[in-house]
């Protein structure tokens, strides 16, 4: 395991693999061993966009059908304060973006999010970025039926 990352035992193995791979690819990219275009495709699939400002990135957090628990939202806010600008940007796809994040911080940021079941996987790039649903799904007493189990199944 990479000693520069603090990794919790609570992170599932697939996410852990992706986080460690991201950390390794960032190091190879910084050494010039991966070209810009190849690295761009790789990082986009992991929710990392370059920004116009040099040296910083936007991180898109994927929130399936916009569902986020208070504990998850608190973690996202803490991560934004620690690694980004402190501002959260809610998107039209019911995701959250963090801005002004240094590329080398992305693996640790992702690991901290995964501790609470929050992912960056497939939040950008050539993929289904998110599945949206009513913010009242599962809590509206007049809804015809709760779509959240279906939305979660499609996400999984």
């Amino acid at each position: 395991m990479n000693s520069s990352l603090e990794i919790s035992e609570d992170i599932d193995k697939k996410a852990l693999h992706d986080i460690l791979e991201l950390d390794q690819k960032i190091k190879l990219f910084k050494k010039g061993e991966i070209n810009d275009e190849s690295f761009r495709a790789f990082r986009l699939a992991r929710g990392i966009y370059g920004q116009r400002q040099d040296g910083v990135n936007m991180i898109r957090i994927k929130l399936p059908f916009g569902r986020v628990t208070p504990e998850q939202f608190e973690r996202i806010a803490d991560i934004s304060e620690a690694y980004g600008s402190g501002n959260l940007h809610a998107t039209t796809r019911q995701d959250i973006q963090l801005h002004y994040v240094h590329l080398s911080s992305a693996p640790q940021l992702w690991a901290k999010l995964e501790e609470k079941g929050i992912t960056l996987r497939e939040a950008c790039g050539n993929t289904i970025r998110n599945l949206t649903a009513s913010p009242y799904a599962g809590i509206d007493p007049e809804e015809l039926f709760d779509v959240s189990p279906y939305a979660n199944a499609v996400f999984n």
Side-chain angles (χ1 to χ4, degrees), residues 12 24 29 33 53 56 119 122 135 145 151 153:
D12 77 35
Q24 188 62 29
F29 174 70
E33 295 179 23
Q53 301 81 5
V56 292
T119 192
E122 298 179 346
F145 67 96

Side-chain angles (χ1 to χ4, degrees), residues 54-146:
D54 285 338
V56 292
N57 296 268
M58 179 274 287
I59 306 288
R60 182 174 295 134
I61 298 169
K62 188 171 185 176
L63 299 174
F65 59 101
R67 184 67 47 99
V68 61
T69 67
E71 184 179 46
Q72 289 173 325
F73 197 69
E74 186 173 338
R75 175 59 57 101
I76 292 167
D78 290 345
I79 292 294
S80 180
E81 290 285 332
Y83 295 98
S85 66
N87 293 319
L88 304 177
H89 174 188
T91 74
T92 57
R93 290 188 178 110
Q94 298 178 325
D95 289 326
I96 294 177
Q97 295 175 348
L98 309 178
H99 293 270
Y100 302 101
V101 176
H102 293 279
L103 184 60
S104 59
S105 299
Q108 188 65 63
L109 176 154
W110 191 359
K112 295 280 187 194
L113 290 172
E114 285 285 349
E115 290 173 2
K116 300 296 181 187
I118 307 163
T119 192
L120 306 182
R121 185 183 296 120
E122 298 179 346
C124 304
N126 189 15
T127 185
I128 297 172
R129 295 184 188 176
N130 204 7
L131 178 70
T132 60
S134 167
Y136 303 109
I139 59 171
D140 183 351
E142 297 190 26
E143 68 186 341
L144 297 177
F145 67 96
D146 178 11

